[in-house]
Structures are given as C-alpha cells and as structure tokens.
Amino acid sequence: MHKSRLAGFIIDCDTPDIHAAAAFWGGALGMPAQRLPDAEGERYVQLVDRNERLHVEVQAVEHASRVHLDIETDDIEAEVRRLETLGATRVAQVHTWWVMQAPTGQRFCVVRAKSPSFADEANRWA
Amino acid sequence: MHKSRLAGFIIDCDTPDIHAAAAFWGGALGMPAQRLPDAEGERYVQLVDRNERLHVEVQAVEHASRVHLDIETDDIEAEVRRLETLGATRVAQVHTWWVMQAPTGQRFCVVRAKSPSFADEANRWA
C-alpha cells in the first residue's frame, strides 16, 4: 500500500531574476513571497497561502515558462508505476523525484511527500 | 475596493476526447471526475477535491496542452487593471473573462468569482 495526492503547483519562469518573477506572481495572487534558505532560494520562492489550501512555488527554469503540478507520495517508485499504468511516461529522474509526461502532453513531477496533511488526506492505493 | 484570489488551476488538454483526458488526470490525482451539465460538459470536467482546497478542471482546448491558473474577482475590469500595473498584459476577452499574459510569459485567466469561500478569504485591494 502506498499513498499519493496533488501536492501543489509550480510556476516555472524562464527568467534570470527569480525574485522579480516571484514579486509579480505573489502580487497577482495576493500570496506573500517567502524566500527559501540557502541554495534552494536561488531557484525557488514559495508563495504563502494563508488558508493553507495548497503549495505554490515560483521556480526559475531554463526552458519555456509554464505551470506544472506536483504529485507527492510516500513511495516514489510505486507511484510512478501506478501513473504508468494510467498512461503516463517517465521523462527523467532528478535528485529524488521523477519528471513524467501525461498522455495529454503536460509534464509533471512525482515528489516525496512533505505536506503536513499528507498522512491524513492522501489517497491510499492498494 | 475590489477583491480577488487564486481560484484554481485548469489542465488544458489538446484532445478530442475530454473524458479520456479527465479519466487520466482524475486517476493520477485521486480526484473523482464530475461531468458538468449541458454544453459546458463537452469541454470541461471538474476534478472534485474532497478536502475542498481548490478548484481543478480539465478542459479540452485547440492549442498546445498546458496548465493555467485562474484568478477570480468580484470586479473583472478593476482586477485586470491591477494586474496591468504589476506588468501583465491583456490577450483577449472571452465571454465574461479576460485571458492575460504574465511578464514571465504564462497565460492565465481573470474570471468572475464563484468559490463559496471567496467573500471571506479573498484579498481586498484598495
């Protein structure tokens, strides 16, 4: 048995200035931008949801700007296999996560669970 | 004074079969697909979030597949102007909503508020 759920959305920005990008998106969505520590902070800025609905991050990337979603899980390999049976394909393994592609073409990531509510609210797969 | 907030995310799928696309995304995210009534149902399928965190829809489109976000507001014109001051540009008005483009390149929509929690939780702009 493993679990997974929609973790949130990442706003991928093809920009050398992650903080300008985060200032726009934080202002547009009314979500304060929160710098992340150390090396992570050079590439990612979290947008804080005061109602704790969802994890939203702005990320500096070197491909075309887009929005992608993350699925979080307590068992990456089991979740990737489950998604493959639904029709998704593996694109690349990066650090601890997998980049996958949906049958409809969008890229998304399968990442290690870190939401506080994951244990209670994630879907359980047999 | 007007209000706005992040309404949710739309998974745009370049497909003639919206129900197959919704079956994949509903299965991937563990969110049951719910058909919408009448003409809307030919183009959109709602993915139901049991924890009511966010509105997620799968939409059949005739451009490249992507994910976009919606900002909901009680005053479309005021919100579009606010977003213009942050650097976004108008792309096209469609029915009651505006398609806009972020300075970082992503398209997003400004739509009429319909979330039950909008009145209590939206950001207020002077």
Side-chain angles (χ1 to χ4, degrees):
Chain A
M1 194 277 293
H2 80 280
K3 296 192 283 186
S4 74
R5 66 179 290 183
L6 171 64
F9 292 83
I10 314 296
I11 302 173
D12 294 335
C13 299
D14 178 15
T15 177
D17 187 348
I18 180 66
H19 299 295
F24 168 78
W25 284 107
L29 303 178
M31 297 170 71
Q34 180 174 287
R35 291 194 181 212
L36 297 176
D38 307 327
E40 212 182 5
E42 294 169 18
R43 199 165 180 86
Y44 299 93
V45 175
Q46 186 172 349
L47 300 184
V48 178
D49 180 354
R50 284 181 288 255
N51 297 299
E52 297 181 1
R53 292 184 298 166
L54 210 69
H55 191 81
V56 180
E57 277 182 16
V58 179
Q59 179 182 197
V61 297
E62 281 144 25
H63 55 67
S65 290
R66 62 187 179 213
V67 175
H68 80 258
L69 64 82
D70 279 357
I71 292 173
E72 61 180 347
T73 180
D74 55 1
D75 185 335
I76 300 263
E77 183 59 26
E79 179 65 3
V80 166
R81 283 195 206 136
R82 188 185 74 83
L83 293 161
E84 285 179 316
T85 67
L86 296 174
T89 52
R90 297 179 199 233
V91 174
Q93 189 165 25
V94 183
H95 306 301
T96 59
W97 66 90
W98 266 98
V99 180
M100 299 194 77
Q101 182 159 321
T104 46
Q106 298 92 341
R107 300 272 170 103
F108 62 97
C109 295
V110 180
V111 305
R112 289 196 293 201
K114 57 181 180 177
S115 300
S117 57
F118 177 83
D120 290 339
E121 295 182 2
N123 302 288
R124 284 161 221 276
W125 309 109
Chain B
M1 193 277 290
H2 80 280
K3 296 191 284 189
S4 73
R5 67 180 291 184
L6 171 64
F9 291 83
I10 315 294
I11 303 174
D12 293 336
C13 299
D14 179 14
T15 176
D17 188 348
I18 180 66
H19 298 296
F24 170 76
W25 284 106
L29 303 178
M31 297 170 72
Q34 180 173 289
R35 292 194 180 213
L36 297 175
D38 306 328
E40 210 181 7
E42 294 168 16
R43 198 166 182 87
Y44 299 94
V45 175
Q46 186 172 348
L47 299 185
V48 178
D49 180 354
R50 282 180 289 256
N51 297 300
E52 296 181 1
R53 291 184 297 167
L54 208 70
H55 190 82
V56 181
E57 277 181 15
V58 179
Q59 178 181 197
V61 297
E62 281 144 24
H63 55 67
S65 291
R66 60 189 180 211
V67 175
H68 80 259
L69 64 83
D70 279 358
I71 293 174
E72 61 180 345
T73 179
D74 55 0
D75 186 334
I76 299 263
E77 183 59 27
E79 178 66 3
V80 166
R81 283 195 205 135
R82 188 185 73 82
L83 293 161
E84 285 179 316
T85 67
L86 295 174
T89 52
R90 297 180 199 231
V91 174
Q93 190 166 25
V94 183
H95 306 300
T96 60
W97 67 90
W98 266 98
V99 180
M100 299 194 75
Q101 182 159 321
T104 46
Q106 299 91 342
R107 300 272 171 103
F108 62 97
C109 295
V110 180
V111 305
R112 290 197 293 201
K114 59 181 181 178
S115 299
S117 57
F118 177 83
D120 291 338
E121 295 181 3
N123 303 287
R124 283 159 222 279
W125 310 108

